[in-house]
Amino acid sequence: MDLNALWFVLITVLFIGYFFLEGFDYGVGILLPFLGKDDGERRVLINTIGPFWDGNEVWLLTAGGAIFAAFPHWYATLFSGFYLALFLMLLALIVRGVAFEFRSKDDRPFWRSLWDWLIFAGSLLPALLWGVAITNLIRGVPINEQMQYVGTFWHLLSPYTLTGGLVTLLLFTLHGALFLALKTRGELEERARRAAVRVGAVAVPALVLLVFLSYSQIGLAGRAGAAVAFWGAVVFLLAAYWLSRTGRYGLAFVGNGLAIVFSTVAFFSALFPRVMVSSLNPKWSLTIYNASSSPYTLKVMTIVALILVPVVLLYQGWTYWVFRHRVGKEHLEY
């Protein structure tokens, strides 16, 4: 494996970590207005992700930085072509972060309700847009011979990409419901379990539909590894749905997490060695070679990553261990 392929794999791993960890953050935010029946319950729901949500977003920042440094042409084409979609996603993430901080600054019900719904919107929009973005990378977008995106925002929307957005939205919502079933107690735990069962019942057929559409849209039949990963994701999602019905939330959370992991692996393995597919001419697609930095840059980045990544992983693992306990109203400070 050369350094170009290595950095493609590392970027894939970063997105896997981001979708797995930030996925339940998004899910909790999406479920917040519906599972929390009063201010105290909504504060409990927010507190379940309070120690984690900003740390989870570091995975996205690292992935973006890695793309910029390792594959600058990919970064330039992606951010110019997906500009409006990524701007909406960034705006949603900013509003979401502000909402977490501002919600408790005033006791008025209207104030807190407003920020709760902004947390909902700031979680739902990225969860949807990530699926749209990933499916567009592999389905193909208008890229010319100069590696420039020549389409519009509407070129990003199609039945296939919208199905991809629906799947990530449902997977992340289910991830959040199962996380809440593990982190809360009493009535909140029961509501989270019921939400997981309902969302899972929709997520399974949606993922199956996406897999079947992938056979015609991205030639999945010719990429055995990606096809196996996709069907593995379906199996793990089915297991998560069945386990959530039987009350085994921990195993269900792991199963749904593996469904997210395998789905991400499926898309990136089907994409390799390309990083963005041109719908105008396959020869104009961006690859890990024509979009990469110099060998020296990749070498320096590899050395830095080998030193710093283990430190970051240990620190984040320690954070999850410290805040592993369930959260209830008795932990709130009034």
Side-chain angles (χ1 to χ4, degrees), residues 25-247:
D25 277 359
Y26 289 149
V28 172
I30 292 167
L31 294 169
L32 176 64
F34 308 105
L35 298 189
K37 301 303 182 182
D38 56 41
D39 179 66
E41 289 185 346
R42 292 183 181 186
R43 288 176 65 190
V44 169
L45 297 179
I46 292 172
N47 285 354
T48 62
I49 59 173
F52 312 124
W53 69 268
D54 48 355
N56 292 343
E57 290 186 352
V58 172
W59 288 80
L60 175 60
L61 297 174
T62 308
I67 293 174
F68 174 78
F71 304 105
H73 295 296
W74 180 15
Y75 184 92
T77 305
L78 177 67
F79 277 79
S80 61
F82 292 18
Y83 181 82
L84 181 55
L86 293 175
F87 173 77
L88 291 174
M89 187 184 299
L90 178 62
L91 182 62
L93 292 175
I94 291 173
V95 169
R96 181 170 175 265
V98 171
F100 282 132
E101 299 298 331
F102 276 33
R103 182 191 185 277
S104 298
K105 300 302 182 183
D106 196 309
D107 292 334
R108 288 177 295 174
F110 172 78
W111 173 270
R112 294 196 169 185
S113 178
L114 171 64
W115 292 113
D116 287 341
W117 283 104
L118 288 175
I119 291 173
F120 164 78
S123 302
L124 183 143
L125 192 59
L128 176 68
L129 289 179
W130 273 119
V132 174
I134 295 295
T135 47
N136 265 296
L137 289 180
I138 192 168
R139 174 178 174 268
V141 291
I143 300 174
N144 65 16
E145 193 173 7
Q146 288 74 42
M147 299 185 183
Q148 294 177 348
Y149 181 86
V150 293
T152 66
F153 173 78
W154 303 109
H155 281 98
L156 305 178
L157 304 180
S158 68
Y160 179 63
T161 58
L162 290 174
T163 302
L166 177 64
V167 167
T168 53
L169 174 62
L170 291 170
L171 286 177
F172 292 165
T173 305
L174 177 58
H175 213 38
L178 292 170
F179 178 79
L180 288 174
L182 291 170
K183 291 290 290 182
T184 58
R185 54 180 61 135
E187 184 60 27
L188 276 177
E189 178 185 347
E190 179 59 25
R191 286 184 213 144
R193 188 198 69 80
R194 291 198 299 264
V197 172
R198 291 168 183 166
V199 175
V202 182
V204 171
L207 180 58
V208 172
L209 174 61
L210 180 64
V211 174
F212 278 115
L213 287 176
S214 297
Y215 277 94
S216 61
Q217 294 290 319
I218 64 175
L220 194 60
R223 294 181 173 268
V228 170
F230 260 131
W231 288 113
V234 172
V235 170
F236 281 117
L237 183 58
L238 277 169
Y241 174 62
W242 178 73
L243 289 165
S244 65
R245 291 182 63 90
T246 59

